[in-house]
Amino acid sequence: FLRQLCAVGGPTRDPRAPWALSVVYRALVQSDQLQPLAGKRIAGLTWRPADEVAEDKSLAFDHAVLVAQAATTTRAEVDQLDLPTGLMAETFTLGELQSTCEQVLGRKLDKSSFRRRLADQGLVEPVAGAMKGGANRPAQVYMLRMR
């Protein structure tokens, strides 16, 4: 899941240059699947919540604003059921999908409404014969429907 967010440029973005241009991409990845590595001029990297980073005034240039824009755009897409595929396994239960969407959105979703919207848009399909056990009864396993 890699998408271009925007391209920004101008004479006031970077005080070291007369004019600076950045092309901004965003990706959804599971933090346990990718370990960031520091480069030559960076002492260390850590995973931090997007909302925390968006409020960090110590970030260079307009980077906090760009992180906030990426989070807002991603949340709007998930709210419209453009599902966060980079954060999910290939197969999942509807409960797992809803939980992932709630984490991205930062709010709870109504279970029946969420499932009705998924069905109405035909976004997921059951994996025949696949069930996942849990604390309650087994749950049907799904995958994203290819369009």
Side-chain angles (χ1 to χ4, degrees):
F1 184 91
L2 178 68
R3 292 185 179 170
Q4 183 177 333
L5 177 66
C6 63
V8 293
T12 60
R13 288 196 68 239
D14 183 347
R16 302 170 301 177
W19 210 90
L21 172 69
S22 295
V23 179
V24 183
Y25 290 88
R26 63 193 166 97
L28 296 179
V29 297
Q30 297 177 28
S31 62
D32 62 343
Q33 300 295 315
L34 180 68
Q35 297 302 316
L37 299 173
K40 291 180 182 178
R41 294 183 284 169
I42 299 172
L45 298 173
T46 60
W47 288 108
R48 293 171 50 198
D51 290 335
E52 178 186 311
V53 174
E55 297 294 322
D56 187 346
K57 303 297 184 212
S58 70
L59 291 182
F61 321 121
D62 54 0
H63 293 177
V65 171
L66 296 172
V67 169
Q69 183 180 349
T72 298
T73 301
T74 301
R75 287 180 180 130
E77 289 172 354
V78 170
D79 204 33
Q80 295 299 314
L81 292 181
D82 187 354
L83 300 173
T85 55
L87 298 178
M88 301 177 339
E90 187 176 328
T91 61
F92 47 84
T93 66
L94 294 182
E96 291 168 341
L97 176 59
Q98 180 174 338
S99 177
T100 299
C101 290
E102 288 172 344
Q103 289 174 28
V104 171
L105 294 170
R107 63 181 165 84
K108 292 285 186 191
L109 297 170
D110 178 73
K111 181 179 175 179
S112 60
S113 175
F114 178 73
R115 291 177 183 216
R116 184 174 47 254
R117 289 177 62 209
L118 286 175
D120 289 349
Q121 294 188 27
L123 298 174
V124 296
E125 61 185 84
V127 176
M131 302 294 277
K132 189 179 250 186
N136 300 316
R137 65 180 187 202
Q140 174 66 53
V141 173
Y142 290 82
M143 61 188 284
L144 291 176
R145 178 167 279 153
M146 302 309 277
R147 293 181 173 221

